Amino acid sequence: MFKLTIVTPEKRILVGQEVEEVTVPAFKGELNILPGHAPLITTLETGVMKWKLKGKERQELAVISWGYCQVSPEGVNILANIADLPEEIDLEMTKAYLAESEKKVMNELITDEDWTEFQREWARARAKIEVASQAKK
């Protein structure tokens, strides 16, 4: 059995659910994990995570904001700083935030630290828009 666990400091998304495949936004690009994958540990970037529960046709989605991924013969463990499920995402509010913050960057003097934070938040907002839009289909 190949199982998936996704946890954050605030909540448990999945615990020991049997899956057929998992795709994560790894540090150096998207990583597709199937049963039999070589063991590894990697950091995660902000982006869209996908998984397919055993026996289901549809992929499940979540937005991951930084964390760690551990792959073992038993499955995949995701320890994420933040994980947003499609039903938790307010699409219109996310779009408004993205537009407003882009205006702010264009019209104000910001520090390098602020720029780095804006980039992280924009990546998360874009991933949330992608996940919420796909979930509506």
Side-chain angles (χ1 to χ4, degrees):
M1 288 211 285
F2 195 66
K3 295 184 177 186
L4 173 63
T5 297
I6 308 169
V7 295
T8 72
E10 286 83 33
K11 61 187 172 184
R12 295 177 181 186
I13 307 292
L14 282 177
V15 177
Q17 292 288 314
E18 198 168 354
V19 293
E20 295 178 4
E21 67 179 296
V22 178
T23 303
V24 296
F27 178 69
K28 294 218 175 193
E30 193 172 80
L31 178 62
N32 191 25
I33 305 162
L34 299 168
H37 194 287
L40 69 86
I41 295 176
T42 187
T43 55
L44 299 173
E45 288 292 316
T46 298
V48 178
M49 178 181 170
K50 303 171 190 172
W51 65 93
K52 188 173 175 189
L53 295 171
K54 187 164 180 104
K56 301 285 183 177
E57 290 295 317
R58 188 169 176 235
Q59 277 192 329
E60 302 292 326
L61 304 170
V63 176
I64 298 296
S65 185
W66 204 85
Y68 296 97
C69 172
Q70 174 197 27
V71 180
S72 71
E74 293 79 34
V76 180
N77 293 314
I78 302 294
L79 307 169
N81 188 37
I82 299 170
D84 298 303
L85 295 171
E87 59 270 16
E88 300 169 335
I89 298 170
D90 183 331
L91 184 57
E92 296 310 313
M93 191 166 83
T94 302
K95 286 179 178 179
Y97 163 79
L98 190 58
E100 187 62 35
S101 65
E102 286 173 345
K103 274 189 219 173
K104 184 176 182 177
V105 168
M106 297 299 232
N107 297 319
E108 294 181 19
L109 186 60
I110 60 171
T111 66
D112 288 344
E113 279 182 25
D114 288 341
W115 175 245
T116 301
E117 184 62 27
F118 276 121
Q119 287 178 313
R120 270 192 229 114
E121 289 298 319
W122 289 343
R124 184 169 175 226
R126 287 184 184 106
K128 287 170 85 171
I129 291 168
E130 180 183 338
V131 165
S133 297
Q134 287 184 22
K136 288 186 173 187
K137 292 179 181 179

